[in-house]
Amino acid sequence: MAVYTEVSDEDVRAFVAQYDLGDVVSCKGIAEGVENSNFLLVTDKGPYILTLYEKRVDPADLPFFLGLMDHLAANGLTCPQPVAGTDGVALRSLCGRPAVIVTFLKGMWPRRILADHCAGLGEGLARLHLAGDGFTLTRRNSLSVGGWRPLFEASRWRADEVKPGLADALAEELDYLEAQWPQDLPAGIIHADLFPDNVFFADGKLSGLIDFYFACNDLFAYDVAICLNAWCFEADGAFNVTKARLLLANYDRIRPLSAAEREALPILARGSAIRFLLTRLYDWLNTPPGAMVKRKDPLEYLHKLRFHQQIRHIADYGLDRS
Ligand SMILES: Nc1ncnc2c1ncn2[C@@H]1O[C@H](COP(=O)(O)OP(=O)(O)O)[C@@H](O)[C@H]1O
Ligand SMILES: N[C@@H](CCOP(=O)(O)O)C(=O)O
């Protein structure tokens, strides 16, 4: 459930009156999501998404996120677009929170991931990377290698409550990643959280991408590694090399991966695994009992980390060296 801030009917009506959207027909909280409060807002002009940004989003980053969605849409990517009020302003305030209305995307995210979804994802991710070219604002990735140590330290003393030995295993992995992390790979705008719940499909084809609130400037191949982890493991923990091959081949068809990017994939996948392991671990240990958010299992990502630690050849991801 992700509605952290309740909004009254009167507040919604007064808010929507600042736009050229007609009257409010309905406004319902959306149960999915983790970070922000989202509402399906229907007005005389159709459906929209009303988002109130919660505590993990830094208001200073909002011009980057909103500008990026405009930039990507202008460059051919289907993604939500911020709607401006009659005064030309998109970013406003509602119930004490920064708030925007964005356009509604058709489609559904896949509850059961098929190999074809991974093919569509690979192409969509590459198109996103190309569409980000020329965006003038920048945002550092606070959840890349430099951000993992402080995140780890915040949970270290309680990590073994989740699994005995976890703190030592994470400390060892961090030492390795900090020493070996690649620096000189192609970089640009990445999504950084392109999990299945952020990718919409309609009639079997990718129809749009949402949730750009972790987007930043970082290595393109790191975004590929995040998708490998999020899309190519089965519920029983098995790595599905067919899905990986389709993801990588369809990415490569649109934006060819260099030999250096291919070689770096195992370490990037390890980094991606520790990144999601650490945020999940923090949430696991710090979400108050009874909070209306479904906690995600950190150990799912320990399993993925272990898998990538064993990779010796990129062919194990279904990919050639060049
Ligand atoms: N532009 C949109 N069009 C259609 N549905 C959306 C849109 N944005 C969000 N949603 C719905 O809201 C849910 C949560 O949105 P998301 O951005 O992932 O939230 P959070 O940032 O809190 O994780 C999505 O799974 C989707 O169902
Ligand atoms: N994808 C992250 C959590 C962030 O959730 P989202 O709803 O904002 O995509 C994870 O799985 O840990």
Side-chain angles (χ1 to χ4, degrees), residues 30 32-36 38 49 80 103-105 198 200 210-211:
I30 298 177
E32 286 170 341
V34 172
E35 301 293 331
N36 299 309
N38 288 299
I49 297 290
T103 53
F104 182 86
L105 288 198
N198 291 330
F200 286 9
I210 67 164
D211 200 357

Side-chain angles (χ1 to χ4, degrees), residues 46-289:
Y48 296 88
I49 297 290
L50 167 63
T51 300
L52 275 65
Y53 297 101
E54 301 293 344
K55 57 182 186 313
R56 282 231 283 231
V57 174
D58 180 350
D61 285 332
L62 288 169
F64 174 90
F65 298 138
L66 302 182
L68 178 61
M69 290 190 268
D70 275 333
H71 177 89
L72 294 173
N75 285 278
L77 196 93
T78 307
C79 66
Q81 284 176 266
V83 179
T86 48
D87 56 359
V89 175
L91 178 57
R92 326 182 79 87
S93 175
L94 176 58
C95 298
R97 293 276 171 211
V100 295
I101 293 175
V102 298
T103 53
F104 182 86
L105 288 198
K106 291 191 182 129
M108 296 271 286
W109 65 266
R111 269 62 181 175
R112 188 168 149 254
I113 299 164
L114 305 175
D116 279 353
H117 291 127
C118 296
L121 171 72
E123 173 170 348
L125 180 65
R127 292 202 185 283
L128 161 65
H129 290 166
L130 297 180
D133 191 35
F135 183 53
T136 50
L137 301 182
T138 58
R139 179 173 179 267
R140 191 181 68 84
N141 188 1
S142 56
L143 290 173
S144 186
V145 63
W148 299 333
R149 180 73 60 178
L151 201 49
F152 170 57
E153 294 301 341
S155 302
R156 180 180 204 149
W157 61 289
R158 291 188 58 205
D160 286 10
E161 287 174 28
V162 176
K163 185 176 167 68
L166 184 59
D168 283 350
L170 292 175
E172 193 183 322
E173 179 67 11
L174 274 180
D175 288 345
Y176 171 80
L177 291 172
E178 286 170 352
Q180 303 296 328
W181 196 247
Q183 303 295 337
D184 294 327
L185 299 176
I189 293 291
I190 69 164
H191 184 286
D193 186 33
L194 205 52
F195 278 56
D197 60 348
N198 291 330
V199 182
F200 286 9
F201 289 82
D203 301 323
K205 300 254 176 278
L206 191 150
S207 59
L209 308 180
I210 67 164
D211 200 357
F212 287 83
Y213 303 115
F214 288 105
C216 54
N217 295 77
D218 206 342
L219 308 177
F220 291 132
Y222 181 52
D223 227 8
V224 176
I226 289 171
C227 290
L228 265 184
N229 276 329
W231 291 75
C232 301
F233 286 86
E234 301 301 323
D236 65 1
F239 183 71
N240 186 324
V241 73
T242 305
K243 289 180 178 176
R245 184 180 302 115
L246 284 168
L247 164 57
L248 296 170
N250 282 281
Y251 181 93
D252 189 61
R253 191 164 55 78
I254 307 298
R255 183 190 162 267
L257 287 160
S258 68
E261 287 179 300
R262 287 163 189 251
E263 291 295 334
L265 261 189
I267 188 170
L268 296 172
R270 285 168 70 161
S272 149
I274 209 160
R275 174 260 181 262
F276 288 99
L277 200 169
L278 287 172
T279 46
R280 287 177 174 204
L281 178 64
Y282 183 86
D283 290 347
W284 194 266
L285 296 172
N286 294 287
T287 303

